[in-house]
Amino acid sequence: RGAALLTIPLLGAAGLSFLLLRRLEPWKKQHSRRRGSKTNEANQQALAMRAAYDKMFADFGQSGLDMAAIESMRPWYHGLDVPGLMPWPKLYPQVTPPLPIDAVRLLVLPYEECPTLAATAAAAAADIAKLLSSGVPGIKIFLNARTNLHCTIFHTSHPSDLRPASSTAAGAGHVVAAPSDQGGQGKASNHTGSVQHPQPTQQQQQQQQQAPLRTATDFELQRENDLVARCVATAQPPRLKFERLVLAPSGVLLMTWTDPDGHIPALRSHLRETFPHASARQAKIIHSSLLRIVMSPQLPPLLVQAIQERCDEWSRKLAGKTLTGSLLW
């Protein structure tokens, strides 16, 4: 039942380190007295998340893609210069500057125990990708494999804010510019609901960027793994409620969720307390990334409208679906 550290390639940048943790404990009676106040807080959190999803939907409908966000993704992927070739993510040594081993570490809720839901999500992604490809010749889209679908809970170390030691000041951050084919700085979109904590000053960022990227030690990784496992052991199994399918201006197709019981926000808060020097950039919504537009011109208004209508169709099909899990990775 001990935690084991795994490294697998997934999504946009490189091999991401995941933590395979023991099963979440069932609901404990000692928590029941405070459930009323927690329910009110969970309701407020759910309302805020729904408002964020509605805003992403409306922003895309009004302005289409955030072209700066699309452009910033190019250096993370192979296969962009070959017509007809689907892009695939670069590994750690292949980005510029290269990232250390175990640079990116996060805790996620996988779709492992909901295979039918994963298959439906993959079908929705394929449908939206087909619609995009038919409307924009030469568009480059990365489709996330259904076996990799997950909701991100917490980053102990983020690609743009590396933390070799997330629980101590010794790992208090190495701010990294988005990779570039020319080594330049990229811009990141905030349309996927990440919350920004206090950022280093410009002088601190320059000093951190000039310093070599340090690899986390085995001791630091094991300590982080043990601390995450302790947080998870006291958490409650989540039961997420599907909200809507959204193509965000960032070019990411999102399956969005709320947590009626507030277990995920509570776990995130516990992790933030446990890891005061973890990455500053953390998700404040609950979502799964189904696909990402990696290269594209601005979408025609009629195509934007068609995509939103198709997303609404899939949202109706997925209405009432829930995502549960007894394991976190």
Side-chain angles (χ1 to χ4, degrees):
R1 292 171 62 85
L5 185 66
L6 301 177
T7 302
I8 61 173
L10 183 66
L11 291 180
L16 303 182
S17 298
F18 280 72
L19 301 173
L20 174 59
L21 303 170
R22 59 184 181 174
R23 290 186 178 275
L24 298 175
E25 298 294 333
W27 181 265
K28 295 181 175 60
K29 292 182 180 179
Q30 59 263 34
H31 294 289
S32 60
R33 294 179 181 177
R34 294 184 295 172
R35 193 168 184 179
S37 62
K38 286 184 176 293
T39 299
N40 292 334
E41 183 179 356
N43 289 338
Q44 292 300 315
Q45 292 166 340
L47 286 173
M49 290 185 189
R50 289 191 194 103
Y53 306 149
D54 290 344
K55 185 177 187 305
M56 284 188 284
F57 189 87
D59 287 349
F60 175 71
Q62 181 176 356
S63 304
L65 296 175
D66 179 344
M67 297 309 299
I70 302 299
E71 185 67 22
S72 73
M73 289 295 103
R74 289 174 58 97
W76 294 98
Y77 288 86
H78 290 294
L80 301 184
D81 299 326
V82 182
L85 193 64
M86 296 292 289
W88 70 98
K90 294 180 179 179
L91 300 178
Y92 284 143
Q94 298 168 336
V95 299
T96 304
L99 296 181
I101 299 298
D102 296 316
V104 182
R105 304 182 304 280
L106 59 159
L107 181 71
V108 306
L109 171 65
Y111 280 47
E112 185 178 48
E113 298 176 37
C114 301
T116 302
L117 179 63
T120 306
D127 186 38
I128 299 298
K130 183 179 179 181
L131 184 60
L132 284 164
S133 298
S134 64
V136 183
I139 191 173
K140 293 285 187 174
I141 301 170
F142 174 72
L143 281 163
N144 196 10
R146 71 180 185 181
T147 53
N148 289 340
L149 293 180
H150 65 274
C151 292
T152 298
I153 307 299
F154 190 80
H155 273 94
T156 52
S157 185
H158 191 277
S160 64
D161 185 12
L162 303 181
R163 305 292 174 120
S166 57
S167 61
T168 67
H174 190 127
V175 179
V176 180
S180 170
D181 295 330
Q182 294 79 33
Q185 294 193 13
K187 295 176 65 178
S189 171
N190 195 34
H191 283 295
T192 52
S194 56
V195 58
Q196 301 296 329
H197 295 274
Q199 297 294 316
T201 65
Q202 184 176 4
Q203 182 180 3
Q204 289 173 327
Q205 291 186 27
Q206 291 174 348
Q207 292 173 346
Q208 291 167 346
Q209 290 169 7
Q210 291 170 0
L213 301 182
R214 182 170 76 81
T215 301
T217 66
D218 291 342
F219 174 80
E220 288 167 338
L221 291 174
Q222 187 59 54
R223 173 176 170 76
E224 181 177 281
N225 191 42
D226 292 343
L227 289 174
V228 172
R230 291 179 193 175
C231 292
V232 171
T234 62
Q236 307 304 319
R239 183 178 178 83
L240 304 182
K241 176 186 174 184
F242 173 77
E243 290 297 332
R244 70 185 309 174
L245 193 69
V246 179
L247 183 61
S250 59
V252 183
L253 182 65
L254 302 174
M255 201 166 180
T256 62
W257 304 89
T258 52
D259 183 353
D261 298 313
H263 295 331
I264 294 300
L267 177 56
R268 284 173 170 172
S269 178
H270 191 185
L271 288 164
R272 171 51 67 186
E273 294 173 359
T274 304
F275 296 98
H277 301 290
S279 297
R281 186 176 181 180
Q282 299 290 343
K284 61 180 178 180
I285 62 173
I286 305 175
H287 69 280
S288 308
S289 299
L290 305 187
L291 66 74
R292 179 184 289 277
I293 299 173
V294 181
M295 188 174 74
S296 174
Q298 185 56 267
L299 305 181
L302 288 178
L303 180 58
V304 170
Q305 181 181 350
I307 290 169
Q308 292 203 299
E309 291 173 354
R310 192 68 58 86
C311 284
D312 281 342
E313 289 178 15
W314 279 104
S315 294
R316 288 190 288 271
K317 293 178 182 179
L318 288 161
K321 299 296 184 183
T322 57
L323 175 62
T324 59
S326 59
L327 289 175
L328 297 183
W329 289 71

